[in-house]
Amino acid sequence: MEKVDLKRILKKVEKPARYLGNEINAVHKDTSNPDIVRYAHCFPDLYEVGMSHLGSHILYDVINKEEGVFCERVYAPQVDMEEKMRENNIPLFGLESRESIRHFDIVAFTLQYELCYTNILNMLDLAGIPLLKEDRKEGDPFVLVGGSCAYNSEPMTDFIDAALLGEGEEMNIEVINEYKAWKKSGEPREKFLERIAKIEGVYVPSFYDVEYNEDQTVKSVTPNRECANPHPRKRIIRDMNKVEYPERFIVPYIDTVHDRIVLEIFRGCTRGCRFCQAGMIYRPIREKNFARLKEILEKLIKTTGYDEISLVSLSTSDYSQLAELTDYLVEEYASKNVGISLPSLRLDNFSMEIANKIQKVRKSGLTFAPEAGSQRLRDVINKGITEEDLTRASRQAFEMGWNNIKLYFMIGLPTENYDDLDGISDLAYEVVDIYKDVHNGKFKGKFNVTVSTSTFVPKPFTPFQWNPQDMKSSVIEKQRHLVRKLKNRNITCNYHDSDTSLMEAVFARGDRRLGKVLLRAHELGAKFDGWDEHFDLEIWKQAMEECGLDISFYAHRTRELDEVFPWDHIDVGVSKKFLIREAEKALKGEITPDCRKGCNGCGINVHDIGRGLC
């Protein structure tokens, strides 16, 4: 393959370092070997976003440790770079070799966000890879997807050959090994898909037929060949202490969203928030022990030169050895000016003792997520925190010198009313009053409370998958109501654009018929839909109308409990019976306790997926 020559265009685009490759710790292999498997790991967003995605670093490391395989990174070029590439007939390329991914064996995309789907089509087009899977012939790459959105990849089925469900460290290697065997066999293209369909966690959409009812809901999803499991199930890593984890991260030339060492301390969550897809699909909880984390961290410090460590999980403060771990980090690295950040903290077990320790190097901001303004609504969503948790944590933070707190909420949650919205402003003003009380009625420095709100999006495999999203007019009025209520020089009110949340809801719970909408939106110029400056709702309205589909059918319709969903044949280990039970408890405002305090019967502990891990 011939290398792409970028010299004539890089001086004409913003941030040319996005496209250079050759960063510290990047992997390079001999591409002249015709037997090497070429694997493109594609992230359908800008370099700065993709380089901050932990899963991409993990898979890049795991795959490149295999003999005879070369995994390269591919990101969506910014609009200015894409224009130059098309003008100069430069195809999309792998960063490491600068060779066109059109000639790679496997092109795999991470599906982390529904509004990245058009970027996938645009990247395939820029690479010269046929968009529709039916148009790909012998010699074309196989297009795979993984990530959280792969659990309902139905809107993408026209374009993908297979979806990898769950955690990919072992699964990807098994797929690659099957590719090697298939390539030697000389079998036709479809035989490779039959081979990998037998791997646990691999879902081949073309091996399933979908029937619809007269009311346009799904009637059934059934396999059309023997190799297809009627209920493809997710794959997990059972032992987090033995699984591979990068001992070196690629260090970029430019600032990225998360420019630091990322140390994953556990997977899964036991809290059971009813809006949270991750909390359901990533069960069961599995921790890395303290000794393993120390081992990983010592190597990462030496190989990256970063001066900040971020401890990541779905709920970092739930890690059973957090106090021991933070003690070690402070004792070992504070004197070396290496800071520590703890995202995903919960109000009900927020430890100011730990916060005080980690701010000895540098004081990071504090973000708390009450999610809802009233206790009634927090019980509906099973958040499991109280107003007292917020006031206690805020008081302690202010007493220890913090001047800024961010509060995160959702609007449009099931059963929400304006009293719940007023509760958001009441909580913000209460935090302001606590600050004044701590500081004898005075404001010191640049004190600020930031209230950020996003619009609720119902997600598959959650107790709220049956609930509608608020109509756009309702969302806008609620946003205006909050802005009016939060007029205070010490309070900043931010809210997320409701148009993007609308299309996120459409594709989150979408079916296969949306593939033609995606294709038409791509033809009309849709790309970078997750970025407000690029998103154009009119394009999506036109595409939906031309394809004979209705936005409200997907976003604003209440589902019946017995409705068949497009994703019902996918097995994540958590039973639909449990989700229905949680949906019914939500309407009654009944709490389901943290399952570490006792099994709540979600099904994962008796399923082969999670048996023996809970």
Side-chain angles (χ1 to χ4, degrees):
M1 284 180 240
E2 186 177 347
K3 287 192 176 184
V4 167
D5 182 10
L6 300 177
K7 293 179 183 177
R8 62 185 183 275
I9 64 172
L10 283 186
K11 292 181 180 179
K12 302 176 182 179
V13 300
E14 178 191 41
K15 297 185 180 180
R18 289 169 169 156
Y19 315 104
L20 291 176
N22 292 316
E23 306 99 321
I24 294 172
N25 297 328
V27 175
H28 296 274
K29 296 188 178 184
D30 180 11
T31 61
S32 63
N33 179 0
D35 295 324
I36 194 169
V37 175
R38 304 297 297 276
Y39 185 109
H41 180 77
C42 306
F43 195 92
D45 211 322
L46 295 180
Y47 174 92
E48 298 96 300
V49 181
M51 279 292 289
S52 301
H53 180 246
L54 176 59
S56 296
H57 284 282
I58 291 174
L59 290 180
Y60 179 84
D61 178 75
V62 166
I63 295 172
N64 274 320
K65 283 179 178 173
E66 291 290 304
E67 289 292 327
V69 187
F70 187 14
C71 176
E72 299 189 47
R73 295 164 295 140
V74 184
Y75 303 102
Q78 180 59 284
V79 174
D80 62 342
M81 179 64 171
E82 182 194 338
E83 290 175 354
K84 295 298 178 185
M85 291 173 70
R86 292 190 184 277
E87 286 173 9
N88 293 274
N89 296 315
I90 296 174
L92 191 63
F93 54 89
L95 276 190
E96 281 69 18
S97 68
R98 290 193 192 167
E99 294 173 354
S100 169
I101 65 169
R102 170 72 177 81
H103 306 293
F104 280 30
D105 300 291
I106 295 172
V107 173
F109 288 89
T110 295
L111 298 188
Q112 287 299 116
Y113 183 36
E114 292 84 355
L115 295 190
C116 285
Y117 292 174
T118 49
N119 273 9
I120 294 175
L121 301 194
N122 196 48
M123 291 169 75
L124 289 173
D125 181 61
L126 190 56
I129 299 170
L131 299 187
L132 297 172
K133 64 174 182 285
E134 62 190 32
D135 292 337
R136 295 182 203 125
K137 309 300 182 186
E138 302 298 330
D140 285 329
F142 289 95
V143 177
L144 312 181
V145 294
S148 57
C149 292
Y151 288 105
N152 180 29
S153 55
E154 295 302 290
M156 292 293 295
T157 55
D158 289 346
F159 316 106
I160 65 174
D161 293 298
L164 276 57
L165 310 173
E167 297 163 1
E169 290 97 327
E170 298 169 344
M171 190 170 23
N172 271 279
I173 301 306
E174 292 173 19
V175 168
I176 290 168
N177 287 337
E178 283 296 341
Y179 181 85
K180 291 177 180 178
W182 167 81
K183 195 172 182 180
K184 288 181 180 178
S185 73
E187 295 171 343
R189 183 178 179 89
E190 190 168 275
K191 288 295 181 181
F192 170 66
L193 299 179
E194 291 182 358
R195 284 172 174 263
I196 64 173
K198 299 172 184 177
I199 297 173
E200 184 172 313
V202 177
Y203 169 53
V204 180
S206 61
F207 291 174
Y208 298 78
D209 294 326
V210 180
E211 290 187 65
Y212 297 92
N213 296 307
E214 290 185 6
D215 64 359
Q216 301 303 305
T217 59
V218 173
K219 181 178 181 180
S220 64
V221 181
T222 53
N224 56 36
R225 61 193 68 201
E226 288 185 8
C227 64
N229 187 332
H231 296 285
R233 64 183 188 181
K234 76 175 183 183
R235 188 77 169 267
I236 68 166
I237 300 299
R238 295 186 66 85
D239 190 340
M240 294 298 294
N241 293 311
K242 293 181 179 178
V243 70
E244 293 281 357
Y245 194 80
E247 296 178 356
R248 55 185 69 231
F249 282 136
I250 298 171
V251 182
Y253 294 126
I254 60 176
D255 289 339
T256 59
V257 176
H258 300 301
D259 219 3
R260 62 191 72 124
I261 288 173
V262 180
L263 189 64
E264 182 187 36
I265 58 179
F266 68 85
R267 292 180 186 173
C269 184
T270 59
R271 295 289 184 160
C273 297
R274 291 173 180 137
F275 59 84
C276 181
Q277 185 187 57
M280 298 295 167
I281 63 176
Y282 292 137
R283 295 183 181 202
I285 198 165
R286 291 145 291 144
E287 292 190 350
K288 289 179 182 172
N289 64 38
F290 175 53
R292 175 64 176 142
L293 293 175
K294 278 179 60 177
E295 176 188 358
I296 294 169
L297 189 55
E298 287 169 3
K299 293 173 180 176
L300 286 173
I301 289 286
K302 291 177 182 177
T303 58
T304 64
Y306 278 126
D307 64 354
E308 185 174 355
I309 303 163
S310 179
L311 306 181
V312 299
S313 69
L314 290 178
S315 182
T316 299
S317 49
D318 284 336
Y319 179 57
S320 63
Q321 294 180 280
L322 185 61
E324 184 180 6
L325 178 58
T326 51
D327 279 343
Y328 166 76
L329 293 176
V330 171
E331 292 169 7
E332 185 71 20
Y333 296 110
S335 62
K336 301 172 185 176
N337 202 39
V338 176
I340 305 161
S341 63
L342 299 178
S344 304
L345 294 173
R346 283 185 58 94
L347 282 165
D348 57 337
N349 64 0
F350 176 70
S351 169
M352 286 308 304
E353 181 182 353
I354 290 176
N356 191 36
K357 284 189 294 186
I358 67 173
Q359 57 110 18
K360 288 181 179 178
V361 177
R362 65 179 67 94
K363 187 170 292 186
S364 58
L366 287 178
T367 300
F368 297 130
E371 307 290 1
S374 70
Q375 192 59 49
R376 183 201 69 81
L377 192 52
R378 285 192 291 273
D379 290 346
V380 167
I381 66 176
N382 203 50
K383 185 62 181 176
I385 63 171
T386 66
E387 182 176 337
E388 290 71 26
D389 293 324
L390 174 61
T391 56
R392 175 189 56 81
S394 300
R395 180 172 293 277
Q396 290 177 336
F398 295 147
E399 288 173 346
M400 296 178 63
W402 267 273
N403 287 319
N404 295 281
I405 285 182
K406 294 180 181 179
L407 302 177
Y408 177 80
F409 298 90
M410 278 188 280
I411 59 175
L413 287 162
T415 78
E416 179 185 72
N417 56 49
Y418 274 77
D419 288 339
D420 303 312
L421 290 177
D422 290 343
I424 293 176
S425 62
D426 292 343
L427 285 176
Y429 282 108
E430 186 169 3
V431 171
V432 173
D433 290 340
I434 291 170
Y435 185 90
K436 289 173 65 177
D437 185 57
V438 168
H439 295 286
N440 298 316
K442 298 179 181 178
F443 291 111
K444 296 176 62 177
K446 296 181 179 179
F447 166 68
N448 185 257
V449 176
T450 300
V451 174
S452 295
T453 62
S454 64
T455 303
F456 165 69
V457 177
K459 295 281 187 173
F461 302 107
T462 69
F464 289 159
Q465 63 183 344
W466 290 273
N467 293 91
Q469 186 180 58
D470 269 4
M471 297 290 289
K472 178 181 176 180
S473 57
S474 176
V475 173
I476 291 174
E477 181 50 43
K478 289 177 179 181
Q479 290 170 340
R480 289 173 176 168
H481 179 79
L482 274 176
V483 170
R484 289 193 296 267
K485 296 282 288 188
L486 289 171
K487 284 188 176 179
N488 183 288
R489 65 187 182 91
N490 297 114
I491 299 175
T492 301
C493 182
N494 300 324
Y495 55 84
H496 185 70
D497 178 60
S498 61
D499 286 347
T500 54
S501 297
L502 172 62
M503 293 312 301
E504 183 183 346
V506 168
F507 283 99
R509 296 189 297 178
D511 54 45
R512 295 187 176 192
R513 293 170 297 189
L514 287 173
K516 57 187 177 182
V517 176
L518 277 169
L519 184 59
R520 184 60 184 136
H522 163 71
E523 293 168 349
L524 292 169
K527 67 182 76 170
F528 287 106
D529 292 294
W531 296 75
D532 290 344
E533 60 266 37
H534 295 292
F535 180 81
D536 186 348
L537 183 59
E538 294 307 311
I539 285 179
W540 289 103
K541 286 181 177 179
Q542 180 179 339
M544 293 288 288
E545 184 177 354
E546 290 182 11
C547 296
L549 295 174
D550 178 29
I551 285 178
S552 287
F553 175 83
Y554 293 99
H556 302 136
R557 179 174 60 86
T558 300
R559 273 70 166 159
E560 298 299 325
L561 290 178
D562 61 353
E563 179 173 332
V564 176
F565 291 132
W567 56 88
D568 269 354
H569 58 300
I570 302 298
D571 184 358
V572 299
V574 174
S575 72
K576 195 172 185 180
K577 287 182 180 178
F578 170 74
L579 298 178
I580 290 174
R581 190 164 69 244
E582 284 296 292
E584 292 171 339
K585 291 178 72 174
L587 292 177
K588 301 174 186 175
E590 294 180 3
I591 286 287
T592 298
D594 186 327
C595 62
R596 289 192 183 193
K597 299 176 182 178
C599 180
N600 295 311
C602 76
I604 195 72
N605 66 328
V606 296
H607 197 295
D608 287 347
I609 292 173
R611 186 178 294 135
L613 295 178
C614 292

